[in-house]
Amino acid sequence: MTDDLPDAISKQEFRSTMGLFAGAVTLITTGTGAGRRGLTATAVCALTDTPPSLLVCVNLSSATHQAMVENGRFSVQLLSDQDEDLALHFAGATGAEGADKFSAGDWGECRGAQPRLKSALASVSCVVDGQNTVGSHSVFIGRIVEVCLSPDRESLVYARSRFHGLRAGR
């Protein structure tokens, strides 16, 4: 049956198309102390409210991926329109690696001792409930165990290869 399917699109065509999808900018973080790891991501979404869960997609080659597998926990920081520099920092634009990425921002801890960005619109702490590898990434399913909210700013989104502040409509 699968022989009738067309060939996959090119990597460039995929990236160009996905770039049109506006995505909330987040930091996926895990670990404690010198073992903290984190990265910038837009591949995060709600999964179900029973039990409250979300999914995140993380490149297999990232140090954050390995730390998430080892820790069995992670947290997601939803960034505000004031956090573009922090998003770039965690994306590697400043050259910071590993726990040194946490030198930027005001960090605390969520339940389970996962990193929590105090200025995040939402900080969501999760326990890994499942993991599936697809190509170059793992899809992690996280059961939400704690949420810290600070929704007094606008969301940061990424589309068309640049950041945008998302203004609430009336």
Side-chain angles (χ1 to χ4, degrees), residues 24-162:
V25 181
T26 68
L27 304 179
I28 299 173
T29 56
T30 190
T32 60
R36 290 186 295 182
R37 299 292 180 265
L39 53 79
T40 303
T42 57
V44 175
C45 72
L47 182 59
T48 180
D49 65 358
T50 310
S53 301
L54 54 75
L55 64 83
V56 300
C57 301
V58 179
N59 194 302
L60 295 167
S61 67
S62 75
T64 302
H65 180 278
Q66 185 59 35
M68 288 172 65
V69 170
E70 292 171 4
N71 295 329
R73 298 177 175 271
F74 64 91
S75 57
V76 175
Q77 321 305 315
L78 179 61
L79 299 183
S80 81
D81 62 350
Q82 298 171 18
D83 291 324
E84 184 175 332
D85 288 342
L86 192 59
L88 290 168
H89 179 74
F90 269 77
T94 62
E97 295 182 355
D100 291 340
K101 288 183 177 181
F102 294 85
S103 65
D106 186 10
W107 294 91
E109 290 184 350
C110 296
R111 185 190 292 174
Q114 296 311 292
R116 179 176 80 82
L117 180 64
K118 294 179 182 178
S119 64
L121 296 178
S123 182
V124 182
S125 180
C126 299
V127 173
V128 174
D129 258 0
Q131 177 188 348
N132 189 26
T133 300
V134 180
S136 61
H137 284 64
S138 280
V139 179
F140 289 92
I141 297 172
R143 181 174 35 87
I144 301 170
V145 296
E146 181 184 35
V147 175
C148 299
L149 302 176
S150 180
D152 58 341
R153 291 178 311 283
E154 302 298 333
S155 297
L156 183 64
V157 297
Y158 191 79
R160 296 183 181 261
S161 301
R162 59 189 180 103

